[in-house]
mmCIF file of all heavy atoms in Angstrom:
data_model
loop_
_atom_site.group_PDB
_atom_site.id
_atom_site.type_symbol
_atom_site.label_atom_id
_atom_site.label_comp_id
_atom_site.label_asym_id
_atom_site.label_seq_id
_atom_site.Cartn_x
_atom_site.Cartn_y
_atom_site.Cartn_z
ATOM 1 N N ALA E 228 142.185 189.015 -98.207
ATOM 2 C CA ALA E 228 141.811 187.702 -98.386
ATOM 3 C C ALA E 228 140.604 187.591 -99.341
ATOM 4 O O ALA E 228 139.645 188.221 -99.138
ATOM 5 C CB ALA E 228 141.575 187.000 -97.021
ATOM 6 N N GLY E 229 140.748 186.685 -100.285
ATOM 7 C CA GLY E 229 139.687 186.585 -101.288
ATOM 8 C C GLY E 229 139.790 187.466 -102.426
ATOM 9 O O GLY E 229 139.196 187.241 -103.497
ATOM 10 N N PHE E 230 140.579 188.481 -102.402
ATOM 11 C CA PHE E 230 140.821 189.367 -103.506
ATOM 12 C C PHE E 230 142.282 189.740 -103.606
ATOM 13 O O PHE E 230 142.698 190.863 -104.026
ATOM 14 C CB PHE E 230 139.949 190.584 -103.446
ATOM 15 C CG PHE E 230 139.730 191.264 -104.801
ATOM 16 C CD1 PHE E 230 139.269 190.627 -105.912
ATOM 17 C CD2 PHE E 230 140.146 192.643 -104.940
ATOM 18 C CE1 PHE E 230 139.064 191.322 -107.073
ATOM 19 C CE2 PHE E 230 139.934 193.310 -106.095
ATOM 20 C CZ PHE E 230 139.440 192.623 -107.179
ATOM 21 N N SER E 231 143.121 188.858 -103.116
ATOM 22 C CA SER E 231 144.606 189.134 -103.149
ATOM 23 C C SER E 231 145.156 188.777 -104.531
ATOM 24 O O SER E 231 144.550 187.963 -105.321
ATOM 25 C CB SER E 231 145.344 188.322 -102.085
ATOM 26 O OG SER E 231 145.295 186.993 -102.467
ATOM 27 N N TYR E 232 146.310 189.404 -104.893
ATOM 28 C CA TYR E 232 146.907 189.100 -106.165
ATOM 29 C C TYR E 232 147.328 187.580 -106.265
ATOM 30 O O TYR E 232 147.101 186.992 -107.331
ATOM 31 C CB TYR E 232 148.132 189.983 -106.391
ATOM 32 C CG TYR E 232 147.909 191.357 -106.444
ATOM 33 C CD1 TYR E 232 148.257 192.296 -105.400
ATOM 34 C CD2 TYR E 232 147.164 191.936 -107.528
ATOM 35 C CE1 TYR E 232 147.998 193.680 -105.482
ATOM 36 C CE2 TYR E 232 146.912 193.283 -107.655
ATOM 37 C CZ TYR E 232 147.313 194.159 -106.691
ATOM 38 O OH TYR E 232 147.069 195.478 -106.734
ATOM 39 N N GLU E 233 147.691 187.027 -105.172
ATOM 40 C CA GLU E 233 148.092 185.579 -105.148
ATOM 41 C C GLU E 233 146.857 184.675 -105.455
ATOM 42 O O GLU E 233 147.047 183.808 -106.291
ATOM 43 C CB GLU E 233 148.674 185.187 -103.764
ATOM 44 C CG GLU E 233 149.949 185.926 -103.390
ATOM 45 C CD GLU E 233 149.808 187.244 -102.609
ATOM 46 O OE1 GLU E 233 148.660 187.832 -102.726
ATOM 47 O OE2 GLU E 233 150.558 187.634 -101.855
ATOM 48 N N GLU E 234 145.799 184.889 -104.809
ATOM 49 C CA GLU E 234 144.604 184.014 -104.989
ATOM 50 C C GLU E 234 143.979 184.199 -106.369
ATOM 51 O O GLU E 234 143.598 183.287 -107.083
ATOM 52 C CB GLU E 234 143.591 184.366 -103.949
ATOM 53 C CG GLU E 234 144.014 183.924 -102.522
ATOM 54 C CD GLU E 234 143.218 184.596 -101.483
ATOM 55 O OE1 GLU E 234 143.245 185.879 -101.442
ATOM 56 O OE2 GLU E 234 142.587 183.919 -100.700
ATOM 57 N N ARG E 235 143.914 185.394 -106.795
ATOM 58 C CA ARG E 235 143.374 185.727 -108.185
ATOM 59 C C ARG E 235 144.333 185.103 -109.187
ATOM 60 O O ARG E 235 143.830 184.609 -110.189
ATOM 61 C CB ARG E 235 143.172 187.258 -108.345
ATOM 62 C CG ARG E 235 142.104 187.748 -107.355
ATOM 63 C CD ARG E 235 142.178 189.299 -107.354
ATOM 64 N NE ARG E 235 141.799 189.922 -108.621
ATOM 65 C CZ ARG E 235 142.090 191.145 -108.962
ATOM 66 N NH1 ARG E 235 142.738 191.971 -108.153
ATOM 67 N NH2 ARG E 235 141.668 191.649 -110.138
ATOM 68 N N GLY E 236 145.633 185.249 -108.977
ATOM 69 C CA GLY E 236 146.520 184.630 -109.903
ATOM 70 C C GLY E 236 146.345 183.148 -110.069
ATOM 71 O O GLY E 236 146.534 182.665 -111.111
ATOM 72 N N LYS E 237 146.097 182.454 -108.941
ATOM 73 C CA LYS E 237 145.916 181.005 -108.997
ATOM 74 C C LYS E 237 144.691 180.632 -109.772
ATOM 75 O O LYS E 237 144.627 179.609 -110.531
ATOM 76 C CB LYS E 237 145.861 180.401 -107.591
ATOM 77 C CG LYS E 237 147.219 180.395 -106.888
ATOM 78 C CD LYS E 237 148.246 179.569 -107.651
ATOM 79 C CE LYS E 237 149.608 179.511 -106.905
ATOM 80 N NZ LYS E 237 150.656 178.924 -107.745
ATOM 81 N N MET E 238 143.591 181.424 -109.660
ATOM 82 C CA MET E 238 142.406 181.215 -110.486
ATOM 83 C C MET E 238 142.760 181.390 -111.979
ATOM 84 O O MET E 238 142.333 180.652 -112.792
ATOM 85 C CB MET E 238 141.282 182.145 -110.072
ATOM 86 C CG MET E 238 140.034 181.999 -110.917
ATOM 87 S SD MET E 238 139.225 180.407 -110.994
ATOM 88 C CE MET E 238 138.175 180.575 -109.562
ATOM 89 N N SER E 239 143.514 182.439 -112.289
ATOM 90 C CA SER E 239 143.932 182.643 -113.671
ATOM 91 C C SER E 239 144.752 181.494 -114.198
ATOM 92 O O SER E 239 144.555 181.052 -115.348
ATOM 93 C CB SER E 239 144.658 183.946 -113.744
ATOM 94 O OG SER E 239 143.945 185.125 -113.476
ATOM 95 N N GLU E 240 145.650 180.965 -113.372
ATOM 96 C CA GLU E 240 146.433 179.835 -113.807
ATOM 97 C C GLU E 240 145.543 178.571 -114.070
ATOM 98 O O GLU E 240 145.762 177.894 -115.029
ATOM 99 C CB GLU E 240 147.461 179.465 -112.703
ATOM 100 C CG GLU E 240 148.655 180.425 -112.600
ATOM 101 C CD GLU E 240 149.628 179.964 -111.520
ATOM 102 O OE1 GLU E 240 149.932 178.754 -111.481
ATOM 103 O OE2 GLU E 240 149.991 180.772 -110.738
ATOM 104 N N LEU E 241 144.565 178.383 -113.220
ATOM 105 C CA LEU E 241 143.691 177.269 -113.407
ATOM 106 C C LEU E 241 142.892 177.428 -114.697
ATOM 107 O O LEU E 241 142.849 176.420 -115.484
ATOM 108 C CB LEU E 241 142.693 177.158 -112.253
ATOM 109 C CG LEU E 241 141.639 176.067 -112.369
ATOM 110 C CD1 LEU E 241 142.316 174.660 -112.430
ATOM 111 C CD2 LEU E 241 140.719 176.111 -111.193
ATOM 112 N N LEU E 242 142.382 178.532 -115.043
ATOM 113 C CA LEU E 242 141.645 178.721 -116.213
ATOM 114 C C LEU E 242 142.530 178.634 -117.438
ATOM 115 O O LEU E 242 142.124 178.111 -118.462
ATOM 116 C CB LEU E 242 140.943 180.139 -116.201
ATOM 117 C CG LEU E 242 139.862 180.289 -115.127
ATOM 118 C CD1 LEU E 242 139.300 181.698 -115.184
ATOM 119 C CD2 LEU E 242 138.809 179.240 -115.143
ATOM 120 N N ALA E 243 143.772 179.089 -117.379
ATOM 121 C CA ALA E 243 144.721 178.990 -118.476
ATOM 122 C C ALA E 243 145.151 177.626 -118.733
ATOM 123 O O ALA E 243 145.624 177.293 -119.869
ATOM 124 C CB ALA E 243 145.899 179.897 -118.308
ATOM 125 N N ALA E 244 144.959 176.765 -117.713
ATOM 126 C CA ALA E 244 145.461 175.389 -117.825
ATOM 127 C C ALA E 244 144.453 174.464 -118.642
ATOM 128 O O ALA E 244 144.727 173.271 -118.823
ATOM 129 C CB ALA E 244 145.701 174.754 -116.465
ATOM 130 N N GLY E 245 143.301 175.065 -118.992
ATOM 131 C CA GLY E 245 142.316 174.281 -119.755
ATOM 132 C C GLY E 245 140.944 174.136 -119.105
ATOM 133 O O GLY E 245 140.185 173.240 -119.461
ATOM 134 N N PHE E 246 140.561 175.111 -118.232
ATOM 135 C CA PHE E 246 139.309 175.158 -117.607
ATOM 136 C C PHE E 246 138.587 176.454 -117.858
ATOM 137 O O PHE E 246 139.180 177.374 -118.356
ATOM 138 C CB PHE E 246 139.498 174.871 -116.122
ATOM 139 C CG PHE E 246 140.052 173.565 -115.806
ATOM 140 C CD1 PHE E 246 141.461 173.333 -115.645
ATOM 141 C CD2 PHE E 246 139.266 172.385 -115.736
ATOM 142 C CE1 PHE E 246 142.035 172.082 -115.409
ATOM 143 C CE2 PHE E 246 139.823 171.161 -115.443
ATOM 144 C CZ PHE E 246 141.179 170.988 -115.311
ATOM 145 N N ALA E 247 137.294 176.392 -117.579
ATOM 146 C CA ALA E 247 136.510 177.645 -117.884
ATOM 147 C C ALA E 247 135.550 177.912 -116.733
ATOM 148 O O ALA E 247 135.068 176.990 -116.105
ATOM 149 C CB ALA E 247 135.669 177.461 -119.163
ATOM 150 N N ASP E 248 135.326 179.180 -116.411
ATOM 151 C CA ASP E 248 134.370 179.706 -115.491
ATOM 152 C C ASP E 248 133.047 179.671 -116.108
ATOM 153 O O ASP E 248 132.732 180.572 -116.974
ATOM 154 C CB ASP E 248 134.801 181.058 -114.974
ATOM 155 C CG ASP E 248 133.868 181.753 -114.087
ATOM 156 O OD1 ASP E 248 132.751 181.236 -113.868
ATOM 157 O OD2 ASP E 248 134.182 182.801 -113.510
ATOM 158 N N SER E 249 132.202 178.685 -115.830
ATOM 159 C CA SER E 249 130.967 178.536 -116.602
ATOM 160 C C SER E 249 130.064 179.755 -116.654
ATOM 161 O O SER E 249 129.513 180.116 -117.710
ATOM 162 C CB SER E 249 130.205 177.330 -116.112
ATOM 163 O OG SER E 249 129.808 177.452 -114.715
ATOM 164 N N PHE E 250 129.896 180.429 -115.534
ATOM 165 C CA PHE E 250 129.093 181.603 -115.441
ATOM 166 C C PHE E 250 129.623 182.734 -116.310
ATOM 167 O O PHE E 250 128.965 183.413 -117.099
ATOM 168 C CB PHE E 250 128.904 182.015 -114.011
ATOM 169 C CG PHE E 250 127.989 183.235 -113.860
ATOM 170 C CD1 PHE E 250 126.683 183.134 -113.774
ATOM 171 C CD2 PHE E 250 128.530 184.499 -113.614
ATOM 172 C CE1 PHE E 250 125.789 184.284 -113.625
ATOM 173 C CE2 PHE E 250 127.768 185.656 -113.501
ATOM 174 C CZ PHE E 250 126.404 185.461 -113.547
ATOM 175 N N ARG E 251 130.925 183.044 -116.117
ATOM 176 C CA ARG E 251 131.519 184.114 -116.787
ATOM 177 C C ARG E 251 131.688 183.861 -118.260
ATOM 178 O O ARG E 251 131.604 184.876 -119.148
ATOM 179 C CB ARG E 251 132.927 184.503 -116.158
ATOM 180 C CG ARG E 251 133.496 185.759 -116.589
ATOM 181 C CD ARG E 251 132.592 186.934 -116.330
ATOM 182 N NE ARG E 251 132.424 187.257 -114.947
ATOM 183 C CZ ARG E 251 131.277 187.851 -114.412
ATOM 184 N NH1 ARG E 251 130.256 188.138 -115.192
ATOM 185 N NH2 ARG E 251 131.206 188.098 -113.112
ATOM 186 N N GLU E 252 131.780 182.628 -118.743
ATOM 187 C CA GLU E 252 131.795 182.286 -120.140
ATOM 188 C C GLU E 252 130.508 182.769 -120.788
ATOM 189 O O GLU E 252 130.524 183.315 -121.929
ATOM 190 C CB GLU E 252 132.069 180.802 -120.366
ATOM 191 C CG GLU E 252 133.507 180.389 -120.133
ATOM 192 C CD GLU E 252 134.383 180.762 -121.219
ATOM 193 O OE1 GLU E 252 133.992 180.915 -122.354
ATOM 194 O OE2 GLU E 252 135.647 180.810 -120.959
ATOM 195 N N LEU E 253 129.359 182.517 -120.095
ATOM 196 C CA LEU E 253 128.048 182.803 -120.679
ATOM 197 C C LEU E 253 127.771 184.284 -120.536
ATOM 198 O O LEU E 253 127.119 184.889 -121.396
ATOM 199 C CB LEU E 253 126.991 181.976 -119.900
ATOM 200 C CG LEU E 253 126.875 180.537 -120.263
ATOM 201 C CD1 LEU E 253 125.817 179.868 -119.405
ATOM 202 C CD2 LEU E 253 126.452 180.339 -121.708
ATOM 203 N N TYR E 254 128.214 184.847 -119.386
ATOM 204 C CA TYR E 254 127.769 186.227 -119.022
ATOM 205 C C TYR E 254 128.983 187.072 -118.666
ATOM 206 O O TYR E 254 129.246 187.356 -117.558
ATOM 207 C CB TYR E 254 126.821 186.178 -117.865
ATOM 208 C CG TYR E 254 125.640 185.303 -118.066
ATOM 209 C CD1 TYR E 254 125.428 184.127 -117.353
ATOM 210 C CD2 TYR E 254 124.654 185.589 -119.096
ATOM 211 C CE1 TYR E 254 124.324 183.312 -117.602
ATOM 212 C CE2 TYR E 254 123.548 184.805 -119.262
ATOM 213 C CZ TYR E 254 123.367 183.638 -118.569
ATOM 214 O OH TYR E 254 122.316 182.814 -118.798
ATOM 215 N N PRO E 255 129.711 187.499 -119.716
ATOM 216 C CA PRO E 255 131.047 188.214 -119.480
ATOM 217 C C PRO E 255 130.837 189.566 -118.728
ATOM 218 O O PRO E 255 131.839 190.017 -118.137
ATOM 219 C CB PRO E 255 131.582 188.364 -120.839
ATOM 220 C CG PRO E 255 130.526 188.167 -121.798
ATOM 221 C CD PRO E 255 129.522 187.264 -121.125
ATOM 222 N N GLU E 256 129.664 190.145 -118.743
ATOM 223 C CA GLU E 256 129.501 191.467 -118.138
ATOM 224 C C GLU E 256 128.401 191.476 -117.137
ATOM 225 O O GLU E 256 128.076 192.528 -116.571
ATOM 226 C CB GLU E 256 129.081 192.500 -119.257
ATOM 227 C CG GLU E 256 130.272 192.640 -120.292
ATOM 228 C CD GLU E 256 129.870 193.667 -121.415
ATOM 229 O OE1 GLU E 256 128.814 194.327 -121.258
ATOM 230 O OE2 GLU E 256 130.683 193.850 -122.277
#
Side-chain angles (χ1 to χ4, degrees):
F230 200 58
S231 68
Y232 295 112
E233 295 93 332
E234 293 162 300
R235 296 166 65 195
K237 288 300 180 187
M238 175 63 86
S239 295
E240 285 184 46
L241 177 61
L242 298 180
F246 297 92
D248 175 349
S249 60
F250 181 82
R251 193 55 70 209
E252 287 283 336
L253 284 176
Y254 306 112
E256 298 181 3

